[in-house]
mmCIF file of all heavy atoms in Angstrom:
data_model
loop_
_atom_site.group_PDB
_atom_site.id
_atom_site.type_symbol
_atom_site.label_atom_id
_atom_site.label_comp_id
_atom_site.label_asym_id
_atom_site.label_seq_id
_atom_site.Cartn_x
_atom_site.Cartn_y
_atom_site.Cartn_z
ATOM 1 N N LEU A 10 -61.390 51.962 -15.577
ATOM 2 C CA LEU A 10 -60.214 52.193 -14.856
ATOM 3 C C LEU A 10 -59.102 52.621 -15.872
ATOM 4 O O LEU A 10 -58.884 51.953 -16.848
ATOM 5 C CB LEU A 10 -59.701 50.881 -14.233
ATOM 6 C CG LEU A 10 -58.366 50.941 -13.466
ATOM 7 C CD1 LEU A 10 -58.442 51.901 -12.347
ATOM 8 C CD2 LEU A 10 -57.916 49.548 -12.896
ATOM 9 N N ILE A 11 -58.684 53.878 -15.690
ATOM 10 C CA ILE A 11 -57.706 54.456 -16.702
ATOM 11 C C ILE A 11 -56.433 54.575 -15.751
ATOM 12 O O ILE A 11 -56.322 55.184 -14.738
ATOM 13 C CB ILE A 11 -58.191 55.841 -17.079
ATOM 14 C CG1 ILE A 11 -59.465 55.766 -17.831
ATOM 15 C CG2 ILE A 11 -57.060 56.658 -17.819
ATOM 16 C CD1 ILE A 11 -60.096 57.116 -18.376
ATOM 17 N N ALA A 12 -55.307 54.152 -16.465
ATOM 18 C CA ALA A 12 -54.003 54.350 -15.878
ATOM 19 C C ALA A 12 -53.212 55.311 -16.669
ATOM 20 O O ALA A 12 -53.213 55.342 -17.905
ATOM 21 C CB ALA A 12 -53.255 52.876 -15.984
ATOM 22 N N THR A 13 -52.652 56.277 -15.963
ATOM 23 C CA THR A 13 -51.733 57.237 -16.553
ATOM 24 C C THR A 13 -50.417 56.999 -15.864
ATOM 25 O O THR A 13 -50.201 56.100 -15.069
ATOM 26 C CB THR A 13 -52.211 58.718 -16.232
ATOM 27 O OG1 THR A 13 -52.028 59.035 -14.876
ATOM 28 C CG2 THR A 13 -53.628 58.935 -16.749
ATOM 29 N N ILE A 14 -49.467 57.804 -16.172
ATOM 30 C CA ILE A 14 -47.947 57.629 -15.596
ATOM 31 C C ILE A 14 -48.191 57.785 -14.166
ATOM 32 O O ILE A 14 -47.414 57.081 -13.368
ATOM 33 C CB ILE A 14 -46.945 58.507 -16.368
ATOM 34 C CG1 ILE A 14 -46.821 58.079 -17.711
ATOM 35 C CG2 ILE A 14 -45.699 58.511 -15.470
ATOM 36 C CD1 ILE A 14 -46.001 59.030 -18.552
ATOM 37 N N PHE A 17 -54.133 56.141 -11.125
ATOM 38 C CA PHE A 17 -55.159 55.274 -11.474
ATOM 39 C C PHE A 17 -56.389 56.131 -11.332
ATOM 40 O O PHE A 17 -56.675 56.609 -10.188
ATOM 41 C CB PHE A 17 -55.190 54.002 -10.742
ATOM 42 C CG PHE A 17 -53.950 53.055 -10.858
ATOM 43 C CD1 PHE A 17 -53.126 52.807 -9.882
ATOM 44 C CD2 PHE A 17 -53.883 52.499 -12.181
ATOM 45 C CE1 PHE A 17 -52.086 51.992 -10.134
ATOM 46 C CE2 PHE A 17 -52.826 51.594 -12.279
ATOM 47 C CZ PHE A 17 -51.925 51.365 -11.324
ATOM 48 N N ILE A 18 -57.291 56.149 -12.276
ATOM 49 C CA ILE A 18 -58.487 56.968 -12.123
ATOM 50 C C ILE A 18 -59.662 55.903 -12.566
ATOM 51 O O ILE A 18 -59.717 55.313 -13.609
ATOM 52 C CB ILE A 18 -58.584 58.114 -13.144
ATOM 53 C CG1 ILE A 18 -57.272 59.031 -12.930
ATOM 54 C CG2 ILE A 18 -59.972 58.881 -13.046
ATOM 55 C CD1 ILE A 18 -57.150 59.933 -13.967
ATOM 56 N N ILE A 43 -62.563 55.934 -28.008
ATOM 57 C CA ILE A 43 -61.168 56.058 -28.107
ATOM 58 C C ILE A 43 -60.689 56.418 -29.456
ATOM 59 O O ILE A 43 -59.726 57.194 -29.673
ATOM 60 C CB ILE A 43 -60.496 54.756 -27.732
ATOM 61 C CG1 ILE A 43 -60.747 54.403 -26.318
ATOM 62 C CG2 ILE A 43 -59.020 54.659 -28.037
ATOM 63 C CD1 ILE A 43 -60.282 53.092 -25.845
ATOM 64 N N ARG A 60 -50.300 56.471 -8.069
ATOM 65 C CA ARG A 60 -49.682 55.121 -8.338
ATOM 66 C C ARG A 60 -48.484 54.837 -7.451
ATOM 67 O O ARG A 60 -48.176 53.729 -7.114
ATOM 68 C CB ARG A 60 -49.113 55.121 -9.860
ATOM 69 C CG ARG A 60 -50.182 54.869 -10.850
ATOM 70 C CD ARG A 60 -49.628 54.839 -12.228
ATOM 71 N NE ARG A 60 -49.175 53.548 -12.492
ATOM 72 C CZ ARG A 60 -49.169 52.917 -13.665
ATOM 73 N NH1 ARG A 60 -49.508 53.590 -14.659
ATOM 74 N NH2 ARG A 60 -48.773 51.702 -13.851
ATOM 75 N N ASN A 79 -52.423 61.428 -22.232
ATOM 76 C CA ASN A 79 -51.755 60.993 -20.921
ATOM 77 C C ASN A 79 -52.214 59.561 -20.538
ATOM 78 O O ASN A 79 -51.605 59.066 -19.548
ATOM 79 C CB ASN A 79 -52.087 61.854 -19.853
ATOM 80 C CG ASN A 79 -51.545 63.268 -19.987
ATOM 81 O OD1 ASN A 79 -50.429 63.380 -20.661
ATOM 82 N ND2 ASN A 79 -52.175 64.319 -19.450
ATOM 83 N N ILE A 80 -53.025 58.897 -21.333
ATOM 84 C CA ILE A 80 -53.556 57.565 -20.875
ATOM 85 C C ILE A 80 -52.570 56.495 -21.322
ATOM 86 O O ILE A 80 -52.211 56.420 -22.530
ATOM 87 C CB ILE A 80 -55.013 57.441 -21.443
ATOM 88 C CG1 ILE A 80 -55.878 58.381 -20.927
ATOM 89 C CG2 ILE A 80 -55.367 55.975 -21.242
ATOM 90 C CD1 ILE A 80 -57.239 58.314 -21.536
ATOM 91 N N SER A 81 -52.170 55.638 -20.419
ATOM 92 C CA SER A 81 -51.392 54.460 -20.674
ATOM 93 C C SER A 81 -52.289 53.302 -21.056
ATOM 94 O O SER A 81 -51.944 52.557 -21.997
ATOM 95 C CB SER A 81 -50.438 54.100 -19.558
ATOM 96 O OG SER A 81 -49.672 55.126 -19.153
ATOM 97 N N SER A 82 -53.337 53.092 -20.349
ATOM 98 C CA SER A 82 -54.260 51.988 -20.601
ATOM 99 C C SER A 82 -55.646 52.273 -20.105
ATOM 100 O O SER A 82 -55.803 53.070 -19.095
ATOM 101 C CB SER A 82 -53.750 50.687 -20.043
ATOM 102 O OG SER A 82 -53.850 50.669 -18.592
ATOM 103 N N ILE A 83 -56.627 51.634 -20.711
ATOM 104 C CA ILE A 83 -58.026 51.768 -20.277
ATOM 105 C C ILE A 83 -58.643 50.377 -20.091
ATOM 106 O O ILE A 83 -58.447 49.558 -20.978
ATOM 107 C CB ILE A 83 -58.884 52.577 -21.262
ATOM 108 C CG1 ILE A 83 -58.318 53.965 -21.456
ATOM 109 C CG2 ILE A 83 -60.366 52.691 -20.811
ATOM 110 C CD1 ILE A 83 -59.021 54.765 -22.552
ATOM 111 N N GLN A 84 -59.402 50.172 -19.045
ATOM 112 C CA GLN A 84 -60.070 48.837 -18.834
ATOM 113 C C GLN A 84 -61.463 49.034 -18.373
ATOM 114 O O GLN A 84 -61.665 49.909 -17.552
ATOM 115 C CB GLN A 84 -59.147 48.117 -17.719
ATOM 116 C CG GLN A 84 -59.781 46.786 -17.386
ATOM 117 C CD GLN A 84 -58.939 46.223 -16.193
ATOM 118 O OE1 GLN A 84 -57.851 46.648 -15.836
ATOM 119 N NE2 GLN A 84 -59.505 45.233 -15.584
#
Side-chain angles (χ1 to χ4, degrees):
L10 175 61
I11 296 177
T13 67
I14 292 172
F17 290 116
I18 305 166
I43 290 171
R60 284 181 84 149
N79 293 335
I80 295 174
S81 301
S82 68
I83 299 176
Q84 175 182 351

